[in-house]
Amino acid sequence: MNSVQFGHEGTQQDLVNAVDWVFSKISQDPRSMILTTMPALAWQDTPEEMERPGPALWYWLAGVTRFNLTPESILQAQIPMLAQVQGTAVITVSSETAGLEEPPLVENLSKDVLVGIYNTHTGETYSLTDGTDRLTGKQGGVVLVAKEVQRQLAEKHAIRVALSDKVHDARYATSYLESEKTVRQLVANNPSMITMLDIHRDAGRSRENCLVEVKGKKTAPILIIVGSDARLPFPNWKQNYQFACKLADKLDQLYPGLCLGVRVKEGRYNQFLHPGAILVEVGSDNNSLEEAKTSAVMLADALAEIIKEELKKRDGQDQTKPALKEPSAKETNEGSEDKIEKSV
């Protein structure tokens, strides 16, 4: 600032004070600045990263500068030759996956699709496997975790699953608007669905806090997120919350220590479109893909138990309904005559 010449000392000092004030506000609450400069975000489902100060400022700067702030892109900007190199090498961390047995093929429990799975932040991935925490415009590790849940439910538990691996976060700030289209399609095409899972991974945890011990083995933790009506109307959000709590309780019964519980947040996360829709964070950015897939197997086991319980309830409700009266031959003939007369 001292290198800039101003005609009046007061003008220079006023500018310095203004810049100091702006930076102090950014450091205190960058999310407020983001929502002020991009008002639409305040009225829609915003990505979880936008709700934390550090990542929020990071993505805001990326949007303002139109610059990709991933380490790979920064290096390519500084060393242009790197941009011509195809297939960047990744760091691979091998991990034992004991217990990931091939599930036996069994007959479907229901002819209907009972579970929907998708990823709003398709590019989220696991840095210990991919060397980065996000693959922009591509399918990251969370998609492979989603497919592992689908595989276990279908092959081991005979539960039909509809899975979408469509990329929704090519433009990160509008990722929930894009995934809403997928959710609406899944709901419309599968009216018998009991639950929908939007599978993510957490971020910002140390390596130590990215692991939980389950039956003597270290694996990635699971956290369930449920939206509320804090920002927008969502009158039935407690139905989603109750389903999330059932799943968390089942995880605690089957695999104590795996689930970190259920957290209620302000965004709706498209859960208003289905009463069994929940957001599931499998591991964090400092986990490996194999750790997350191990947890995905356990998630599928618990979810299968909940699904079977819900099917029993449905069967019980069907049995309590009064049986439909079979029409007599006379009634059938009369009905046929009526139809013929009307058609004439």
Side-chain angles (χ1 to χ4, degrees), residues 226-229 234-245 264 271 275-276:
V226 174
S228 67
D229 57 0
F234 187 0
N236 299 321
W237 71 268
K238 289 186 178 179
Q239 285 183 284
N240 302 70
Y241 177 71
Q242 289 170 356
F243 183 86
C245 289
V264 178
Q271 294 170 5

Side-chain angles (χ1 to χ4, degrees), residues 93 122 157 174 185 188 197 210 247 250 258 280 327:
V93 178
T122 326
H157 299 287
T174 59
Q185 185 177 12
L197 305 183
C210 288
L247 179 56
K250 187 63 66 176
L258 177 64
V280 182

Side-chain angles (χ1 to χ4, degrees), residues 211-231:
L211 295 170
V212 291
E213 186 170 332
V214 180
K215 298 186 176 181
K217 179 174 179 157
K218 295 285 187 180
T219 191
I222 289 175
L223 176 64
I224 305 173
I225 305 293
V226 174
S228 67
D229 57 0
R231 294 182 194 159

Side-chain angles (χ1 to χ4, degrees), residues 205-320:
R205 293 177 178 270
S206 66
R207 173 61 179 163
E208 182 182 359
N209 290 328
C210 288
L211 295 170
V212 291
E213 186 170 332
V214 180
K215 298 186 176 181
K217 179 174 179 157
K218 295 285 187 180
T219 191
I222 289 175
L223 176 64
I224 305 173
I225 305 293
V226 174
S228 67
D229 57 0
R231 294 182 194 159
L232 290 169
F234 187 0
N236 299 321
W237 71 268
K238 289 186 178 179
Q239 285 183 284
N240 302 70
Y241 177 71
Q242 289 170 356
F243 183 86
C245 289
K246 285 182 184 179
L247 179 56
D249 289 343
K250 187 63 66 176
L251 284 166
D252 286 340
Q253 292 174 22
L254 298 178
Y255 301 106
L258 177 64
C259 185
L260 301 180
V262 179
R263 183 177 299 169
V264 178
K265 300 184 77 172
E266 292 184 356
R268 296 187 303 177
Y269 309 115
N270 294 325
Q271 294 170 5
F272 66 97
L273 297 171
H274 191 278
I278 56 176
L279 190 157
V280 182
E281 294 182 345
V282 182
S284 189
D285 51 350
N286 278 326
N287 281 109
S288 70
L289 174 61
E290 292 306 318
E291 289 166 348
K293 288 176 71 174
T294 299
S295 298
V297 174
M298 298 184 236
L299 172 62
D301 288 343
L303 190 60
E305 293 295 319
I306 298 294
I307 297 296
K308 290 170 185 176
E309 291 172 6
E310 292 296 322
L311 286 178
K312 286 182 180 179
K313 287 182 182 179
R314 286 185 181 182
D315 291 341
Q317 291 172 356
D318 291 341
Q319 291 175 4
T320 57

Side-chain angles (χ1 to χ4, degrees), residues 12 29 45 92 95 98 115 117 149 151 159 186 188 216 220 232 262 294:
Q12 180 178 2
D29 189 9
D45 296 329
T92 303
S95 176
V115 179
I117 303 178
V149 175
R151 189 176 78 94
I159 293 174
L186 286 170
L232 290 169
V262 179
T294 299

Side-chain angles (χ1 to χ4, degrees), residues 34-277:
I34 293 167
L35 295 181
T36 300
T37 54
M38 294 187 286
L41 291 178
W43 298 100
Q44 68 182 48
D45 296 329
T46 51
E48 305 93 275
E49 282 84 351
M50 291 294 195
E51 299 173 7
R52 293 198 293 267
L57 181 58
W58 183 261
Y59 287 109
W60 180 80
L61 286 173
V64 170
T65 60
R66 296 184 179 181
F67 187 72
N68 192 334
L69 295 175
T70 63
E72 178 183 356
S73 298
I74 292 172
L75 284 174
Q76 288 178 350
Q78 298 300 315
I79 311 174
M81 283 296 294
L82 288 180
Q84 307 302 319
V85 179
Q86 300 295 324
T88 305
V90 298
I91 301 172
T92 303
V93 178
S94 61
S95 176
E96 295 296 327
T97 56
L100 287 178
E101 300 177 357
E102 290 293 323
L105 293 175
V106 288
E107 187 178 352
N108 285 333
L109 189 66
S110 167
K111 62 182 178 62
D112 299 316
V113 169
L114 300 176
V115 179
I117 303 178
Y118 67 101
N119 308 92
T120 292
H121 294 155
T122 326
E124 287 182 339
T125 197
Y126 300 93
S127 59
L128 291 187
T129 297
D130 291 327
T132 181
D133 64 350
R134 186 177 301 280
L135 303 176
T136 304
K138 300 177 182 179
Q139 294 178 358
V142 292
V143 177
L144 297 177
V145 170
K147 289 180 177 180
E148 183 62 34
V149 175
Q150 177 197 33
R151 189 176 78 94
Q152 294 291 324
L153 286 174
E155 297 180 9
K156 182 178 179 180
H157 299 287
I159 293 174
R160 294 192 65 193
V161 179
L163 181 142
S164 171
D165 59 2
K166 181 180 177 182
V167 174
H168 299 113
D169 57 353
R171 293 182 61 195
Y172 191 75
T174 59
S175 50
Y176 279 100
L177 293 177
E178 291 301 314
S179 66
E180 180 181 342
K181 302 171 187 176
T182 296
V183 174
R184 289 186 181 278
Q185 185 177 12
L186 286 170
V187 170
N189 293 341
N190 305 287
S192 296
M193 278 195 307
I194 292 174
T195 184
M196 294 188 67
L197 305 183
D198 183 5
I199 295 182
H200 295 240
R201 56 112 182 97
D202 200 0
R205 293 177 178 270
S206 66
R207 173 61 179 163
E208 182 182 359
N209 290 328
C210 288
L211 295 170
V212 291
E213 186 170 332
V214 180
K215 298 186 176 181
K217 179 174 179 157
K218 295 285 187 180
T219 191
I222 289 175
L223 176 64
I224 305 173
I225 305 293
V226 174
S228 67
D229 57 0
R231 294 182 194 159
L232 290 169
F234 187 0
N236 299 321
W237 71 268
K238 289 186 178 179
Q239 285 183 284
N240 302 70
Y241 177 71
Q242 289 170 356
F243 183 86
C245 289
K246 285 182 184 179
L247 179 56
D249 289 343
K250 187 63 66 176
L251 284 166
D252 286 340
Q253 292 174 22
L254 298 178
Y255 301 106
L258 177 64
C259 185
L260 301 180
V262 179
R263 183 177 299 169
V264 178
K265 300 184 77 172
E266 292 184 356
R268 296 187 303 177
Y269 309 115
N270 294 325
Q271 294 170 5
F272 66 97
L273 297 171
H274 191 278

